[in-house]
Coordinates of all heavy atoms in Angstrom, one line a residue:
A175 N -16.6 -4.4 -10.5 CA -17.3 -5.4 -9.6 C -17.5 -4.9 -8.2 O -18.6 -5.1 -7.7 CB -16.3 -6.6 -9.5
L176 N -16.5 -4.1 -7.7 CA -16.7 -3.6 -6.4 C -17.8 -2.5 -6.4 O -18.6 -2.4 -5.5 CB -15.4 -2.9 -5.9 CG -14.5 -4.0 -5.2 CD1 -13.1 -3.4 -5.0 CD2 -15.1 -4.4 -3.8
E177 N -17.8 -1.7 -7.4 CA -18.8 -0.6 -7.5 C -20.2 -1.1 -7.5 O -21.1 -0.6 -7.0 CB -18.5 0.3 -8.7 CG -17.8 1.6 -8.2 CD -17.0 2.3 -9.3 OE1 -17.0 1.8 -10.4 OE2 -16.5 3.3 -9.0
S178 N -20.4 -2.3 -8.2 CA -21.7 -2.8 -8.3 C -22.1 -3.7 -7.2 O -23.3 -4.0 -7.0 CB -21.9 -3.6 -9.6 OG -20.9 -4.6 -9.7
S179 N -21.1 -4.1 -6.3 CA -21.5 -4.9 -5.2 C -21.9 -4.0 -4.0 O -21.4 -2.9 -3.9 CB -20.3 -5.8 -4.8 OG -19.3 -5.0 -4.4
P180 N -22.9 -4.5 -3.2 CA -23.3 -3.7 -2.1 C -22.2 -3.4 -1.1 O -21.3 -4.2 -0.9 CB -24.4 -4.5 -1.4 CG -24.4 -5.8 -2.1 CD -23.5 -5.8 -3.2
Q181 N -22.1 -2.1 -0.7 CA -21.0 -1.8 0.2 C -21.5 -1.0 1.4 O -22.2 0.0 1.3 CB -20.1 -0.8 -0.5 CG -19.5 -1.4 -1.8 CD -18.0 -1.5 -1.7 OE1 -17.3 -0.7 -1.1 NE2 -17.5 -2.6 -2.2
T182 N -21.2 -1.5 2.6 CA -21.7 -0.8 3.8 C -20.6 0.4 4.0 O -19.5 0.4 3.5 CB -21.7 -1.7 5.0 OG1 -20.3 -2.1 5.3 CG2 -22.6 -2.9 4.8
H183 N -21.0 1.2 4.9 CA -20.1 2.3 5.3 C -18.8 1.7 5.9 O -17.7 2.2 5.5 CB -20.8 3.2 6.3 CG -20.2 4.5 6.5 ND1 -19.1 4.7 7.4 CD2 -20.3 5.7 5.9 CE1 -18.8 6.0 7.4 NE2 -19.4 6.6 6.4
A184 N -19.0 0.7 6.7 CA -17.8 0.1 7.4 C -16.9 -0.5 6.3 O -15.7 -0.5 6.5 CB -18.3 -0.9 8.4
D185 N -17.5 -1.1 5.3 CA -16.6 -1.7 4.2 C -15.8 -0.6 3.6 O -14.6 -0.9 3.3 CB -17.5 -2.3 3.1 CG -18.3 -3.5 3.4 OD1 -17.9 -4.2 4.4 OD2 -19.3 -3.8 2.7
L186 N -16.4 0.5 3.3 CA -15.6 1.6 2.7 C -14.5 2.1 3.6 O -13.4 2.5 3.1 CB -16.6 2.8 2.3 CG -17.2 2.8 0.9 CD1 -16.2 3.5 0.0 CD2 -17.4 1.4 0.4
V187 N -14.8 2.3 4.9 CA -13.7 2.7 5.8 C -12.5 1.7 5.7 O -11.4 2.1 5.6 CB -14.3 2.8 7.2 CG1 -13.1 3.1 8.2 CG2 -15.3 4.0 7.3
E188 N -12.9 0.4 5.8 CA -11.8 -0.6 5.8 C -11.1 -0.6 4.4 O -9.8 -0.7 4.4 CB -12.5 -2.0 6.0 CG -11.4 -3.0 6.3 CD -12.0 -4.4 6.6 OE1 -13.3 -4.5 6.7 OE2 -11.3 -5.4 6.6
L189 N -11.8 -0.5 3.3 CA -11.2 -0.5 2.0 C -10.3 0.8 1.9 O -9.1 0.7 1.4 CB -12.2 -0.4 0.9 CG -11.8 -0.3 -0.5 CD1 -10.9 -1.5 -0.9 CD2 -13.0 -0.2 -1.5
G190 N -10.8 1.9 2.4 CA -10.0 3.2 2.3 C -8.7 3.0 3.1 O -7.6 3.4 2.6
E191 N -8.7 2.4 4.3 CA -7.5 2.3 5.1 C -6.5 1.3 4.3 O -5.3 1.6 4.3 CB -7.8 1.7 6.5 CG -6.5 1.6 7.3 CD -6.7 1.6 8.8 OE1 -7.8 1.3 9.3 OE2 -5.7 1.7 9.5
S192 N -7.0 0.3 3.7 CA -6.1 -0.6 3.0 C -5.5 0.1 1.8 O -4.3 -0.2 1.5 CB -6.8 -2.0 2.7 OG -7.8 -1.8 1.7
I193 N -6.2 1.0 1.2 CA -5.6 1.7 0.1 C -4.5 2.7 0.6 O -3.4 2.8 0.0 CB -6.6 2.5 -0.8 CG1 -7.6 1.5 -1.4 CG2 -6.0 3.3 -1.8 CD1 -8.8 2.1 -2.1
V194 N -4.8 3.3 1.7 CA -3.8 4.3 2.3 C -2.5 3.5 2.7 O -1.4 4.0 2.5 CB -4.5 5.0 3.5 CG1 -3.4 5.5 4.5 CG2 -5.4 6.0 3.1
A195 N -2.7 2.3 3.1 CA -1.6 1.5 3.6 C -0.7 0.9 2.4 O 0.5 0.7 2.6 CB -2.0 0.3 4.5
Q196 N -1.4 0.7 1.3 CA -0.7 0.0 0.2 C -0.9 0.6 -1.1 O -1.2 0.0 -2.2 CB -1.2 -1.5 0.1 CG -1.4 -2.1 1.5 CD -0.8 -3.5 1.6 OE1 -0.1 -3.9 0.7 NE2 -0.9 -4.1 2.7
T197 N -0.9 2.0 -1.2 CA -1.4 2.7 -2.3 C -0.7 2.3 -3.6 O -1.3 2.2 -4.7 CB -1.1 4.2 -2.1 OG1 -1.3 4.5 -0.7 CG2 -2.1 5.1 -2.9
S198 N 0.7 2.1 -3.5 CA 1.4 1.8 -4.8 C 1.2 0.3 -5.3 O 1.6 0.0 -6.4 CB 2.9 2.0 -4.6 OG 3.4 1.2 -3.5
E199 N 0.6 -0.5 -4.4 CA 0.4 -1.9 -4.8 C -1.1 -2.3 -4.9 O -1.4 -3.3 -5.4 CB 1.1 -2.8 -3.8 CG 2.6 -2.7 -3.8 CD 3.2 -3.4 -2.6 OE1 2.4 -4.0 -1.8 OE2 4.4 -3.3 -2.4
H200 N -1.9 -1.5 -4.3 CA -3.3 -1.9 -4.2 C -4.0 -1.9 -5.5 O -3.8 -1.0 -6.3 CB -4.1 -1.0 -3.2 CG -5.4 -1.5 -2.8 ND1 -6.5 -1.6 -3.6 CD2 -5.8 -2.0 -1.6 CE1 -7.5 -2.1 -3.0 NE2 -7.1 -2.4 -1.7
P201 N -4.7 -3.0 -5.9 CA -5.3 -3.1 -7.2 C -6.2 -1.9 -7.6 O -6.3 -1.6 -8.8 CB -6.2 -4.4 -7.2 CG -5.7 -5.1 -6.0 CD -5.0 -4.2 -5.0
L202 N -6.8 -1.2 -6.6 CA -7.7 -0.1 -7.0 C -6.9 1.2 -7.2 O -7.3 2.1 -7.9 CB -8.7 0.2 -5.9 CG -9.9 -0.7 -5.9 CD1 -10.9 -0.3 -4.8 CD2 -10.6 -0.7 -7.2
S203 N -5.7 1.3 -6.6 CA -5.0 2.6 -6.6 C -3.7 2.6 -7.4 O -3.3 3.6 -7.9 CB -4.7 3.1 -5.2 OG -4.1 2.1 -4.5
K204 N -3.1 1.4 -7.7 CA -1.8 1.4 -8.2 C -1.7 2.1 -9.6 O -0.7 2.6 -9.9 CB -1.1 0.1 -8.2 CG -1.7 -1.0 -9.1 CD -0.9 -2.3 -8.9 CE -1.3 -3.3 -9.9 NZ -0.7 -4.6 -9.7
R205 N -2.8 2.0 -10.4 CA -2.7 2.6 -11.7 C -2.6 4.1 -11.6 O -2.3 4.8 -12.6 CB -3.9 2.2 -12.6 CG -5.2 2.9 -12.3 CD -6.3 2.3 -13.1 NE -7.1 1.4 -12.2 CZ -8.4 1.4 -12.3 NH1 -9.1 2.1 -13.1 NH2 -9.1 0.6 -11.5
Y206 N -2.9 4.7 -10.5 CA -2.8 6.2 -10.3 C -1.5 6.6 -9.7 O -1.4 7.8 -9.4 CB -4.0 6.7 -9.5 CG -5.4 6.3 -10.1 CD1 -6.2 5.5 -9.4 CD2 -5.8 6.8 -11.3 CE1 -7.5 5.1 -10.0 CE2 -7.0 6.5 -11.9 CZ -7.8 5.6 -11.2 OH -9.0 5.3 -11.7
V207 N -0.6 5.7 -9.3 CA 0.6 6.0 -8.6 C 1.8 5.8 -9.5 O 1.9 4.9 -10.2 CB 0.7 5.0 -7.4 CG1 2.0 5.3 -6.6 CG2 -0.5 5.2 -6.4
G208 N 2.7 6.8 -9.4 CA 3.9 6.8 -10.3 C 5.2 6.6 -9.5 O 6.2 6.9 -10.1

Side-chain angles (χ1 to χ4, degrees):
L176 273 167
E177 260 158 355
S178 56
S179 62
Q181 301 245 322
T182 65
H183 195 273
D185 289 341
L186 263 274
V187 170
E188 190 178 351
L189 177 62
E191 181 161 15
S192 66
I193 297 172
V194 161
Q196 319 231 3
T197 328
S198 60
E199 296 169 358
H200 196 286
L202 280 183
S203 51
K204 69 178 184 186
R205 78 185 102 139
Y206 302 115
V207 176

